[in-house]
mmCIF file of all heavy atoms in Angstrom:
data_model
loop_
_atom_site.group_PDB
_atom_site.id
_atom_site.type_symbol
_atom_site.label_atom_id
_atom_site.label_comp_id
_atom_site.label_asym_id
_atom_site.label_seq_id
_atom_site.Cartn_x
_atom_site.Cartn_y
_atom_site.Cartn_z
ATOM 1 N N GLY B 144 4.169 -16.930 36.449
ATOM 2 C CA GLY B 144 4.598 -18.250 35.975
ATOM 3 C C GLY B 144 5.793 -18.150 35.033
ATOM 4 O O GLY B 144 6.643 -19.045 35.000
ATOM 5 N N TYR B 145 5.874 -17.044 34.299
ATOM 6 C CA TYR B 145 6.995 -16.878 33.362
ATOM 7 C C TYR B 145 8.326 -16.707 34.113
ATOM 8 O O TYR B 145 9.388 -16.921 33.556
ATOM 9 C CB TYR B 145 6.742 -15.695 32.425
ATOM 10 C CG TYR B 145 5.615 -15.998 31.442
ATOM 11 C CD1 TYR B 145 4.319 -15.520 31.665
ATOM 12 C CD2 TYR B 145 5.832 -16.799 30.330
ATOM 13 C CE1 TYR B 145 3.282 -15.821 30.783
ATOM 14 C CE2 TYR B 145 4.806 -17.109 29.449
ATOM 15 C CZ TYR B 145 3.532 -16.627 29.677
ATOM 16 O OH TYR B 145 2.522 -16.939 28.813
ATOM 17 N N PHE B 146 8.238 -16.305 35.379
ATOM 18 C CA PHE B 146 9.453 -16.195 36.199
ATOM 19 C C PHE B 146 9.717 -17.507 36.940
ATOM 20 O O PHE B 146 10.837 -17.989 36.991
ATOM 21 C CB PHE B 146 9.320 -15.049 37.216
ATOM 22 C CG PHE B 146 9.268 -13.709 36.562
ATOM 23 C CD1 PHE B 146 8.045 -13.075 36.321
ATOM 24 C CD2 PHE B 146 10.430 -13.070 36.148
ATOM 25 C CE1 PHE B 146 7.987 -11.837 35.687
ATOM 26 C CE2 PHE B 146 10.381 -11.832 35.525
ATOM 27 C CZ PHE B 146 9.152 -11.221 35.279
ATOM 28 N N THR B 147 8.610 -18.073 37.497
ATOM 29 C CA THR B 147 8.815 -19.286 38.307
ATOM 30 C C THR B 147 9.230 -20.482 37.443
ATOM 31 O O THR B 147 9.791 -21.455 37.949
ATOM 32 C CB THR B 147 7.541 -19.638 39.116
ATOM 33 O OG1 THR B 147 6.431 -19.645 38.211
ATOM 34 C CG2 THR B 147 7.293 -18.634 40.221
ATOM 35 N N VAL B 148 8.974 -20.408 36.136
ATOM 36 C CA VAL B 148 9.358 -21.530 35.271
ATOM 37 C C VAL B 148 10.875 -21.551 35.000
ATOM 38 O O VAL B 148 11.425 -22.591 34.643
ATOM 39 C CB VAL B 148 8.550 -21.489 33.945
ATOM 40 C CG1 VAL B 148 9.122 -20.463 32.969
ATOM 41 C CG2 VAL B 148 8.506 -22.867 33.284
ATOM 42 N N LEU B 149 11.539 -20.415 35.239
ATOM 43 C CA LEU B 149 12.970 -20.342 34.894
ATOM 44 C C LEU B 149 13.818 -21.406 35.615
ATOM 45 O O LEU B 149 14.557 -22.154 34.953
ATOM 46 C CB LEU B 149 13.512 -18.926 35.143
ATOM 47 C CG LEU B 149 14.994 -18.724 34.849
ATOM 48 C CD1 LEU B 149 15.319 -18.972 33.383
ATOM 49 C CD2 LEU B 149 15.467 -17.330 35.250
ATOM 50 N N PRO B 150 13.736 -21.514 36.963
ATOM 51 C CA PRO B 150 14.563 -22.572 37.601
ATOM 52 C C PRO B 150 14.217 -23.970 37.107
ATOM 53 O O PRO B 150 15.115 -24.824 36.980
ATOM 54 C CB PRO B 150 14.236 -22.447 39.096
ATOM 55 C CG PRO B 150 13.309 -21.313 39.263
ATOM 56 C CD PRO B 150 12.989 -20.711 37.941
ATOM 57 N N ALA B 151 12.932 -24.196 36.806
ATOM 58 C CA ALA B 151 12.534 -25.527 36.306
ATOM 59 C C ALA B 151 13.169 -25.778 34.939
ATOM 60 O O ALA B 151 13.647 -26.881 34.651
ATOM 61 C CB ALA B 151 11.016 -25.612 36.207
ATOM 62 N N LEU B 152 13.182 -24.735 34.093
ATOM 63 C CA LEU B 152 13.800 -24.886 32.767
ATOM 64 C C LEU B 152 15.300 -25.146 32.898
ATOM 65 O O LEU B 152 15.868 -25.945 32.139
ATOM 66 C CB LEU B 152 13.565 -23.626 31.919
ATOM 67 C CG LEU B 152 12.148 -23.418 31.379
ATOM 68 C CD1 LEU B 152 12.031 -22.059 30.700
ATOM 69 C CD2 LEU B 152 11.762 -24.524 30.395
ATOM 70 N N ILE B 153 15.934 -24.473 33.855
ATOM 71 C CA ILE B 153 17.384 -24.673 34.043
ATOM 72 C C ILE B 153 17.649 -26.116 34.494
ATOM 73 O O ILE B 153 18.507 -26.803 33.929
ATOM 74 C CB ILE B 153 17.964 -23.649 35.043
ATOM 75 C CG1 ILE B 153 17.884 -22.245 34.438
ATOM 76 C CG2 ILE B 153 19.409 -23.991 35.412
ATOM 77 C CD1 ILE B 153 18.271 -21.120 35.379
ATOM 78 N N LEU B 154 16.875 -26.569 35.484
ATOM 79 C CA LEU B 154 17.110 -27.920 36.010
ATOM 80 C C LEU B 154 16.815 -28.998 34.956
ATOM 81 O O LEU B 154 17.625 -29.919 34.754
ATOM 82 C CB LEU B 154 16.252 -28.145 37.269
ATOM 83 C CG LEU B 154 16.417 -29.503 37.953
ATOM 84 C CD1 LEU B 154 17.875 -29.750 38.326
ATOM 85 C CD2 LEU B 154 15.555 -29.588 39.206
ATOM 86 N N SER B 155 15.685 -28.860 34.263
ATOM 87 C CA SER B 155 15.363 -29.878 33.250
ATOM 88 C C SER B 155 16.371 -29.809 32.101
ATOM 89 O O SER B 155 16.773 -30.843 31.559
ATOM 90 C CB SER B 155 13.932 -29.714 32.747
ATOM 91 O OG SER B 155 13.749 -28.414 32.261
ATOM 92 N N GLY B 156 16.799 -28.597 31.746
ATOM 93 C CA GLY B 156 17.806 -28.431 30.684
ATOM 94 C C GLY B 156 19.117 -29.093 31.075
ATOM 95 O O GLY B 156 19.773 -29.752 30.263
ATOM 96 N N LEU B 157 19.489 -28.949 32.355
ATOM 97 C CA LEU B 157 20.728 -29.579 32.834
ATOM 98 C C LEU B 157 20.619 -31.100 32.758
ATOM 99 O O LEU B 157 21.552 -31.773 32.319
ATOM 100 C CB LEU B 157 20.994 -29.179 34.292
ATOM 101 C CG LEU B 157 21.602 -27.802 34.530
ATOM 102 C CD1 LEU B 157 21.609 -27.461 36.012
ATOM 103 C CD2 LEU B 157 23.022 -27.732 33.989
ATOM 104 N N MET B 158 19.471 -31.615 33.176
ATOM 105 C CA MET B 158 19.302 -33.073 33.184
ATOM 106 C C MET B 158 19.375 -33.629 31.755
ATOM 107 O O MET B 158 20.085 -34.605 31.484
ATOM 108 C CB MET B 158 17.965 -33.413 33.847
ATOM 109 C CG MET B 158 17.742 -34.884 34.106
ATOM 110 S SD MET B 158 16.947 -35.717 32.735
ATOM 111 C CE MET B 158 15.250 -35.260 33.011
ATOM 112 N N LEU B 159 18.658 -32.978 30.833
ATOM 113 C CA LEU B 159 18.640 -33.480 29.450
ATOM 114 C C LEU B 159 19.987 -33.244 28.762
ATOM 115 O O LEU B 159 20.433 -34.045 27.946
ATOM 116 C CB LEU B 159 17.491 -32.841 28.676
ATOM 117 C CG LEU B 159 16.103 -33.244 29.220
ATOM 118 C CD1 LEU B 159 15.015 -32.355 28.660
ATOM 119 C CD2 LEU B 159 15.804 -34.702 28.913
ATOM 120 N N GLY B 160 20.647 -32.143 29.128
ATOM 121 C CA GLY B 160 21.987 -31.868 28.584
ATOM 122 C C GLY B 160 22.981 -32.918 29.068
ATOM 123 O O GLY B 160 23.844 -33.368 28.317
ATOM 124 N N ALA B 161 22.855 -33.289 30.359
ATOM 125 C CA ALA B 161 23.763 -34.304 30.920
ATOM 126 C C ALA B 161 23.539 -35.650 30.229
ATOM 127 O O ALA B 161 24.500 -36.390 29.978
ATOM 128 C CB ALA B 161 23.549 -34.438 32.422
ATOM 129 N N LEU B 162 22.292 -35.932 29.899
ATOM 130 C CA LEU B 162 22.005 -37.167 29.160
ATOM 131 C C LEU B 162 22.691 -37.115 27.780
ATOM 132 O O LEU B 162 23.305 -38.087 27.342
ATOM 133 C CB LEU B 162 20.490 -37.341 29.003
ATOM 134 C CG LEU B 162 20.035 -38.489 28.104
ATOM 135 C CD1 LEU B 162 20.448 -39.838 28.681
ATOM 136 C CD2 LEU B 162 18.513 -38.466 27.915
ATOM 137 N N GLY B 163 22.602 -35.962 27.143
ATOM 138 C CA GLY B 163 23.253 -35.779 25.841
ATOM 139 C C GLY B 163 24.759 -35.960 25.955
ATOM 140 O O GLY B 163 25.395 -36.602 25.112
ATOM 141 N N LEU B 164 25.324 -35.412 27.027
ATOM 142 C CA LEU B 164 26.767 -35.511 27.271
ATOM 143 C C LEU B 164 27.181 -36.982 27.431
ATOM 144 O O LEU B 164 28.176 -37.430 26.868
ATOM 145 C CB LEU B 164 27.053 -34.765 28.579
ATOM 146 C CG LEU B 164 28.392 -34.108 28.788
ATOM 147 C CD1 LEU B 164 28.664 -33.103 27.697
ATOM 148 C CD2 LEU B 164 28.403 -33.410 30.141
ATOM 149 N N LEU B 165 26.368 -37.697 28.188
ATOM 150 C CA LEU B 165 26.637 -39.124 28.406
ATOM 151 C C LEU B 165 26.577 -39.879 27.075
ATOM 152 O O LEU B 165 27.464 -40.679 26.764
ATOM 153 C CB LEU B 165 25.605 -39.681 29.398
ATOM 154 C CG LEU B 165 25.616 -41.192 29.624
ATOM 155 C CD1 LEU B 165 26.944 -41.636 30.207
ATOM 156 C CD2 LEU B 165 24.491 -41.615 30.569
ATOM 157 N N LEU B 166 25.548 -39.593 26.293
ATOM 158 C CA LEU B 166 25.426 -40.278 25.000
ATOM 159 C C LEU B 166 26.617 -39.969 24.106
ATOM 160 O O LEU B 166 27.127 -40.846 23.412
ATOM 161 C CB LEU B 166 24.124 -39.859 24.303
ATOM 162 C CG LEU B 166 22.842 -40.387 24.934
ATOM 163 C CD1 LEU B 166 21.630 -39.723 24.300
ATOM 164 C CD2 LEU B 166 22.750 -41.897 24.763
ATOM 165 N N SER B 167 27.087 -38.707 24.156
ATOM 166 C CA SER B 167 28.202 -38.329 23.276
ATOM 167 C C SER B 167 29.469 -39.091 23.642
ATOM 168 O O SER B 167 30.347 -39.269 22.808
ATOM 169 C CB SER B 167 28.448 -36.828 23.313
ATOM 170 O OG SER B 167 29.043 -36.461 24.530
ATOM 171 N N SER B 168 29.593 -39.531 24.908
ATOM 172 C CA SER B 168 30.797 -40.290 25.269
ATOM 173 C C SER B 168 30.736 -41.716 24.712
ATOM 174 O O SER B 168 31.744 -42.400 24.628
ATOM 175 C CB SER B 168 31.000 -40.299 26.785
ATOM 176 O OG SER B 168 30.073 -41.146 27.410
ATOM 177 N N PHE B 169 29.531 -42.170 24.350
ATOM 178 C CA PHE B 169 29.377 -43.516 23.790
ATOM 179 C C PHE B 169 29.393 -43.531 22.261
ATOM 180 O O PHE B 169 29.763 -44.513 21.663
ATOM 181 C CB PHE B 169 28.044 -44.140 24.241
ATOM 182 C CG PHE B 169 28.064 -44.591 25.666
ATOM 183 C CD1 PHE B 169 27.507 -43.827 26.669
ATOM 184 C CD2 PHE B 169 28.671 -45.799 26.002
ATOM 185 C CE1 PHE B 169 27.539 -44.253 27.986
ATOM 186 C CE2 PHE B 169 28.704 -46.223 27.319
ATOM 187 C CZ PHE B 169 28.135 -45.452 28.313
ATOM 188 N N ILE B 170 28.929 -42.432 21.664
ATOM 189 C CA ILE B 170 28.749 -42.441 20.212
ATOM 190 C C ILE B 170 30.099 -42.262 19.533
ATOM 191 O O ILE B 170 30.827 -41.314 19.814
ATOM 192 C CB ILE B 170 27.773 -41.325 19.777
ATOM 193 C CG1 ILE B 170 26.422 -41.555 20.439
ATOM 194 C CG2 ILE B 170 27.613 -41.299 18.262
ATOM 195 C CD1 ILE B 170 25.506 -40.368 20.355
ATOM 196 N N LYS B 171 30.402 -43.188 18.659
ATOM 197 C CA LYS B 171 31.726 -43.187 18.044
ATOM 198 C C LYS B 171 31.783 -42.192 16.880
ATOM 199 O O LYS B 171 32.735 -41.454 16.720
ATOM 200 C CB LYS B 171 32.033 -44.600 17.560
ATOM 201 C CG LYS B 171 33.494 -44.867 17.380
ATOM 202 C CD LYS B 171 33.712 -46.332 17.109
ATOM 203 C CE LYS B 171 35.113 -46.560 16.594
ATOM 204 N NZ LYS B 171 35.317 -47.942 16.212
ATOM 205 N N GLN B 172 30.753 -42.192 16.080
ATOM 206 C CA GLN B 172 30.784 -41.345 14.886
ATOM 207 C C GLN B 172 29.460 -40.607 14.736
ATOM 208 O O GLN B 172 28.439 -41.040 15.243
ATOM 209 C CB GLN B 172 30.960 -42.212 13.642
ATOM 210 C CG GLN B 172 32.327 -42.791 13.516
ATOM 211 C CD GLN B 172 32.370 -43.834 12.424
ATOM 212 O OE1 GLN B 172 31.407 -44.549 12.182
ATOM 213 N NE2 GLN B 172 33.487 -43.894 11.756
ATOM 214 N N LEU B 173 29.515 -39.531 13.975
ATOM 215 C CA LEU B 173 28.304 -38.739 13.731
ATOM 216 C C LEU B 173 27.197 -39.586 13.102
ATOM 217 O O LEU B 173 26.029 -39.394 13.393
ATOM 218 C CB LEU B 173 28.618 -37.584 12.782
ATOM 219 C CG LEU B 173 29.212 -36.332 13.416
ATOM 220 C CD1 LEU B 173 29.471 -35.298 12.348
ATOM 221 C CD2 LEU B 173 28.299 -35.761 14.484
ATOM 222 N N GLU B 174 27.595 -40.538 12.261
ATOM 223 C CA GLU B 174 26.607 -41.354 11.538
ATOM 224 C C GLU B 174 25.705 -42.126 12.503
ATOM 225 O O GLU B 174 24.574 -42.435 12.192
ATOM 226 C CB GLU B 174 27.272 -42.356 10.583
ATOM 227 C CG GLU B 174 27.938 -41.742 9.372
ATOM 228 C CD GLU B 174 29.272 -41.118 9.707
ATOM 229 O OE1 GLU B 174 30.030 -41.723 10.456
ATOM 230 O OE2 GLU B 174 29.533 -39.993 9.242
#
Side-chain angles (χ1 to χ4, degrees):
Chain B
Y145 290 100
F146 293 97
T147 51
V148 79
L149 179 62
L152 287 173
I153 293 173
L154 182 56
S155 56
L157 281 171
M158 188 270 280
L159 295 166
L162 173 64
L164 209 58
L165 173 62
L166 289 171
S167 73
S168 74
F169 285 100
I170 300 166
K171 201 171 166 185
Q172 288 169 327
L173 277 180
E174 290 77 43

